Amino acid sequence: MKVLVAVKRVVDYNVKVRVKADNSGVDLANVKMSMNPFCEIAVEEAVRLKEKGVASEIVVVSVGPATAQEQLRTALALGADRAILVEAADELNSLAVAKALKAVVDKEQPQLVILGKQAIDSDNNQTGQMLAALTGYAQGTFASKVEVAGDKLNVTREIDGGLQTVSLNLPAIVTTDLRLNEPRYASLPNIMKAKKKPLETVTPDALGVSLASTNKTLKVEAPAARSAGIKVKSVAELVEKLKNEAKVI
Amino acid sequence: MTVLVVAEYQAGAIAPATLNTVAAAAKIGGDVHVLVAGQNVGGVAESAAKIAGVAKVLVADNAAYAHVLPENVAPLIVELAKGYSHVLAPATSNGKNILPRVAALLDVDQISEIISVESADTFKRPIYAGNAIATMQSSAAVKVITVRATGFDAVAAEGGSASVEVVAAVHDAGRSSFLGEELAKSDRPELTGAKVVVSGGRGMGNGDNFKHLYSLADKLGAAVGASRAAVDAGFVPNDMQVGQTGKIVAPQLYIAVGISGAIQHLAGMKDSKVIVAINKDEEAPIFQVADYGLVADLFEAVPELQELL
């Protein structure tokens, strides 16, 4: 089967971001950018499906700025066969991304689309579900295990009380949780080979997609700072402080 | 203006997160209606009708809605949504699973995990693992929103007397089915609603050592949480994870034991009233947010703490 994987370029997860002085957003100038960790897990899962002989071709797609080509090349180095960049402004809303991905799904006709469960910048946790709605496909969100069972897909999902397993008709949409797999590193030879793999660039206009949104960000502020408290010397002092000063026990 | 709240329930009882979501709906203003969708949910609907401030409860009781599969429940909510100004759900795994599907079917953007209501169309939500707070405005005809429970004080579970109305509509997409579930059993309070939370990290060393935290928690009437490191190492199940990608908690007292305090973990607990850190590394970032820090070996400090309580 053909597998489509969506990846996003985001600020590296180790970076402590700073809010811009004019409250227009977060300062991303000269900040290290990487592939969203949940998207790495999505790419890894697709590559494993190919290694098992389940997937025949892996197409990786990103909706974002021209610089997202770097993340697509990373995905190609990890084992994807070809890449598509839907070149658009940064900081799109989830619905616009889902609409662009829907257009790519219509064109590519994959049997399975894998996305991360959320991007660590916007923390929306929406795109996979929205793509499932637009395509009419079933969704297996927050997946910690994915198994192809004939013409169906069994997905074990991380839910609030534990785990849940659902069976989905193919084609289907899956979003990855952290426990799905441990992504591999790209080797240098694979990074070199990835440079020769095809990367196609399209515009939302060419796909006939409108990026209009019903959401507007009015301002972005730093959260209320929490200041460091005190260090206690002993367990006895800790218990005394909790009882008499903080009054929480 | 009428707000529809999609109820979260577990084991036949209304989940606490529903009460926080009704509180957010009350801040928006107008009547608050609650939708209970599922199979054999008559009892849930009755308790939903008692929630303070709820005007009407809609019950969609059908086998198609069992285990609230999004492929079936989302079209139901979309059908009902046309009569509402807002559709809200708690940002639980169910809420996060279903609501974006509803939003896309309505062709509107969703606002995820709001922590405050500024006005009927303007909301605040954390982004970048809680390192920035965005103020968002929605121009959608129906505003689709998930609510972070810790951002709102729960309304009373008793005292209301809403009317109960049966929704006959049945949507069965036939694209998915439930195979089974494996729920963690615990006598301790539920993590997201607990007044005291004791959490362990990589410093616990192994899963067996979590018994020290369980007995401390039992003494405090606390829930037990964990960092991602502890979950990934297999010490405890993933539903105990506190953080950006796990559960968000804001208890009266949070005791972090053997947790370094990575950005992703802080995102899930830094709104706790009092934070205590027990760690042998005095440079651990957790001490930058802890009200009370104790630099000590947890295997000595935790049993001693338990003894002194």
Side-chain angles (χ1 to χ4, degrees):
Chain A
M1 66 167 76
K2 189 196 262 191
V3 180
L4 185 73
V5 181
V7 301
K8 184 177 182 183
R9 174 185 171 89
V10 298
V11 64
D12 189 82
Y13 74 99
N14 272 318
V15 173
K16 177 105 170 70
V17 295
R18 241 176 247 132
V19 170
K20 285 186 199 163
D22 65 356
N23 293 119
S24 63
V26 160
D27 194 356
L28 294 179
N30 305 315
V31 168
K32 186 184 177 199
M33 304 295 279
S34 303
M35 192 192 297
N36 180 43
F38 290 96
C39 302
E40 284 182 5
I41 294 169
V43 172
E44 175 67 29
E45 195 63 18
V47 174
R48 289 186 188 192
L49 286 172
K50 194 174 178 192
E51 287 167 348
K52 276 188 222 159
V54 174
S56 50
E57 187 187 24
I58 303 169
V59 183
V60 61
V61 56
S62 190
V63 184
T67 46
Q69 286 190 24
E70 279 172 44
Q71 279 63 45
L72 288 171
R73 289 286 173 206
T74 304
L76 292 171
L78 291 169
D81 295 296
R82 60 189 172 87
I84 302 169
L85 174 65
V86 181
E87 199 173 335
D90 213 348
E91 307 204 10
L92 291 171
N93 282 296
S94 302
L95 186 60
V97 175
K99 284 179 177 173
L101 293 177
K102 160 78 162 63
V104 175
V105 167
D106 286 346
K107 208 168 122 214
E108 297 285 340
Q109 298 289 319
Q111 281 293 96
L112 174 63
V113 186
I114 313 180
L115 306 87
K117 79 162 176 181
Q118 77 190 65
I120 59 163
D121 52 359
S122 58
D123 279 337
N124 274 330
N125 197 331
Q126 298 174 358
T127 307
Q129 296 89 314
M130 288 179 158
L131 178 61
L134 298 176
T135 54
Y137 297 166
Q139 66 189 54
T141 53
F142 328 144
S144 60
K145 196 173 167 197
V146 175
E147 271 178 332
V148 178
D151 60 347
K152 294 194 191 256
L153 195 70
N154 292 350
V155 179
T156 302
R157 307 177 51 236
E158 299 201 354
I159 59 169
D160 288 334
L163 298 171
Q164 178 195 64
T165 307
V166 290
S167 163
L168 311 178
N169 291 2
L170 290 169
I173 312 286
V174 166
T175 75
T176 64
D177 215 318
L178 288 167
R179 251 74 57 186
L180 183 59
N181 60 46
E182 185 106 4
R184 70 191 69 189
Y185 292 99
S187 65
L188 189 58
N190 285 345
I191 292 170
M192 300 310 289
K193 272 185 230 155
K195 291 184 177 169
K196 295 203 178 82
K197 288 186 179 176
L199 193 160
E200 176 195 354
T201 299
V202 293
T203 61
D205 281 348
L207 293 172
V209 175
S210 152
L211 302 178
S213 172
T214 57
N215 279 354
K216 196 165 98 183
T217 302
L218 299 182
K219 64 176 172 189
V220 175
E221 299 158 289
R226 190 170 182 124
S227 51
I230 56 160
K231 288 235 172 89
V232 293
K233 297 218 160 35
S234 66
V235 175
E237 189 188 349
L238 175 63
V239 172
E240 190 272 319
K241 295 272 187 207
L242 290 177
K243 276 191 176 143
N244 302 321
E245 198 176 275
K247 297 189 199 309
V248 283
I249 54 173
Chain B
M1 199 163 69
T2 313
V3 182
L4 181 66
V5 171
V6 181
E8 174 84 16
Y9 57 89
Q10 281 142 10
I14 284 284
T18 305
L19 304 177
N20 306 91
T21 308
V22 169
K27 287 213 163 124
I28 292 169
D31 278 351
V32 178
H33 295 181
V34 171
L35 169 67
V36 179
Q39 190 179 20
N40 300 327
V41 286
V44 179
E46 271 174 43
S47 48
K50 292 188 188 128
I51 298 173
V54 174
K56 194 180 357 174
V57 174
L58 306 173
V59 201
D61 199 328
N62 192 284
Y65 304 135
H67 307 289
V68 288
L69 295 173
E71 295 79 6
N72 301 346
V73 174
L76 167 73
I77 299 172
V78 169
E79 185 186 314
L80 297 171
K82 308 217 160 81
Y84 292 91
S85 59
H86 299 72
V87 176
L88 267 57
T92 53
S93 56
N94 275 331
K96 290 178 187 174
N97 193 25
I98 295 167
L99 235 54
R101 193 163 179 123
V102 171
L105 292 172
L106 290 169
D107 196 23
V108 301
D109 257 298
Q110 175 183 300
I111 301 185
S112 292
E113 302 221 21
I114 62 162
I115 53 168
S116 88
V117 173
E118 303 295 297
S119 72
D121 67 359
T122 309
F123 310 89
K124 286 192 176 178
R125 64 175 299 260
I127 52 175
Y128 290 88
N131 287 301
I133 306 294
T135 305
M136 314 270 295
Q137 189 174 45
S138 169
S139 59
V142 182
K143 293 164 183 63
V144 179
I145 295 163
T146 61
V147 176
R148 181 172 285 190
T150 57
F152 298 87
D153 292 328
V155 299
E158 301 281 337
S161 57
S163 59
V164 177
E165 189 179 302
V166 172
V167 179
V170 177
H171 296 269
D172 190 348
R175 294 202 75 101
S176 58
S177 57
F178 171 84
L179 291 182
E181 62 190 4
E182 205 179 302
L183 300 180
K185 287 194 186 76
S186 170
D187 299 331
R188 293 184 192 88
E190 205 253 325
L191 188 54
T192 50
K195 290 210 160 48
V196 181
V197 173
V198 179
S199 278
R202 198 194 302 272
M204 297 306 296
N206 59 49
D208 200 35
N209 286 334
F210 262 75
K211 66 174 188 260
H212 299 298
L213 299 191
Y214 294 135
S215 48
L216 174 63
D218 289 342
K219 200 132 193 192
L220 289 164
V224 179
S227 69
R228 183 188 159 192
V231 173
D232 282 352
F235 299 173
V236 291
N238 59 275
D239 57 309
M240 283 169 63
Q241 186 186 325
V242 171
Q244 182 184 19
T245 62
K247 291 189 176 141
I248 311 291
V249 300
Q252 294 290 305
L253 173 61
Y254 188 89
I255 305 179
V257 182
I259 291 176
S260 64
I263 296 172
Q264 293 77 17
H265 185 73
L266 299 183
M269 47 63 83
K270 68 180 176 175
D271 291 325
S272 305
K273 188 160 170 276
V274 174
I275 298 173
V276 170
I278 302 174
N279 204 307
K280 64 180 173 189
D281 173 14
E282 61 180 317
E283 302 294 320
I286 190 80
F287 287 120
Q288 291 163 20
V289 299
D291 299 281
Y292 302 106
L294 175 64
V295 180
D297 183 343
L298 68 95
F299 295 107
E300 287 163 22
V302 171
E304 194 184 340
L305 179 57
Q306 199 188 325
E307 215 160 279
L308 289 174
L309 287 171

